[in-house]
Amino acid sequence: MSGPEIDRRVTLQWLAGAIAAGSVPLNGAYAAPPTTGGDWPSVTVPPVTAPGYGTDPTMLEPVVPWPKTLTAAQLDTAAALCDTILPAEGQWPAPSTIGIHHFVNEWVSAPYPDQQADRATLLAGFAWVEREARRQHGRGYAQLGEAQRGAILTAAAAADPKGKAFLDKMKFLTAGAYYTSEPGIEELGYIGNVPLEGDYPGPSAEALAHLDQVLASLNLKRKS
């Protein structure tokens, strides 16, 4: 299920954009509040020792010096998670069909402090949803139906504060990468820089309503 392999130049661009946007606040809302639980897996993740891409990477011919972290099975789990968080709708494709899960792989593989800090959170989350899928349904997470996958994600957020952190991060990565991809930009109706006469009027009510609808589908909301 891992979907098409994607050019690392593209995922490198997404990674740079996500790092730059890392301070954007997103407030999460969940069906159940997080509770303290003792069953969240503890994973030992060796640090990435490869160098970064430097302060001025060549985007036309990128060299990504770090190896990818996720196994094929973990990549399938990541793809299913992305598609559960942001399902295909109408003409808009599922994240896995445009390679968003490969961006997640780059994120957990990159040697920078923020990404390194997220490695254990995400890898433990992948292990938890896989374990719950097999315990509850006898199949891997990627083989479950959308409703079953969604229920497991809701349970992850309620199982442990680390589960909420895992889901928050997966939402951030999925939405951030998707809405900087070509289909995501088209869905938002972004047309690039255009000249305006007079003062900038701000986003239209229609654009804000669409943004609120998308965020609500992710159980997120804008900060006022």
Side-chain angles (χ1 to χ4, degrees):
M1 177 181 172
S2 60
E5 184 67 29
I6 193 165
D7 190 332
R8 293 194 83 180
R9 176 174 61 188
V10 175
T11 56
L12 186 62
Q13 291 169 337
W14 288 344
L15 180 66
I19 291 173
S23 61
V24 176
L26 292 175
N27 291 336
Y30 300 91
T35 58
T36 300
D39 66 343
W40 194 258
S42 176
V43 298
T44 301
V45 183
V48 176
T49 58
Y53 53 66
T55 58
D56 188 22
T58 301
M59 302 305 290
L60 294 178
E61 297 181 2
V63 175
V64 185
W66 57 81
K68 295 181 182 180
T69 294
L70 299 185
T71 65
Q74 289 170 324
L75 203 57
D76 282 346
T77 301
L81 284 163
C82 291
D83 290 353
T84 304
I85 290 168
L86 196 62
E89 182 178 2
Q91 72 185 85
W92 311 118
S96 68
T97 65
I98 59 172
I100 300 303
H101 52 304
H102 292 290
F103 162 71
V104 175
N105 196 4
E106 294 287 3
W107 186 272
V108 299
S109 305
Y112 306 109
D114 287 348
Q115 287 67 45
Q116 289 286 284
D118 289 337
R119 277 167 65 81
T121 297
L122 292 173
L123 293 176
F126 295 158
W128 193 91
V129 299
E130 275 299 318
R131 186 190 70 196
E132 287 302 297
R134 296 186 184 281
R135 183 181 69 82
Q136 295 180 29
H137 305 289
R139 292 178 292 167
Y141 186 78
Q143 282 71 55
L144 301 182
E146 184 176 328
Q148 293 171 326
R149 297 199 309 261
I152 287 175
L153 273 188
T154 299
D160 190 284
K162 294 178 181 177
K164 181 180 181 301
F166 163 69
L167 185 52
D168 279 346
K169 184 58 64 174
M170 280 300 301
K171 286 181 176 182
F172 169 77
L173 295 177
T174 301
Y178 183 86
Y179 286 108
T180 52
S181 70
E182 288 187 9
I185 290 171
E186 183 181 355
E187 181 179 348
L188 291 175
Y190 179 68
I191 59 174
N193 295 324
V194 294
L196 296 174
E197 294 183 2
D199 295 334
Y200 173 58
S204 68
E206 181 182 10
L208 289 174
H210 178 73
L211 176 61
D212 288 338
Q213 182 181 12
V214 170
L215 291 176
S217 72
L218 299 173
N219 290 327
L220 301 171
K221 60 183 178 180
R222 287 186 292 128
K223 275 194 171 181
S224 57

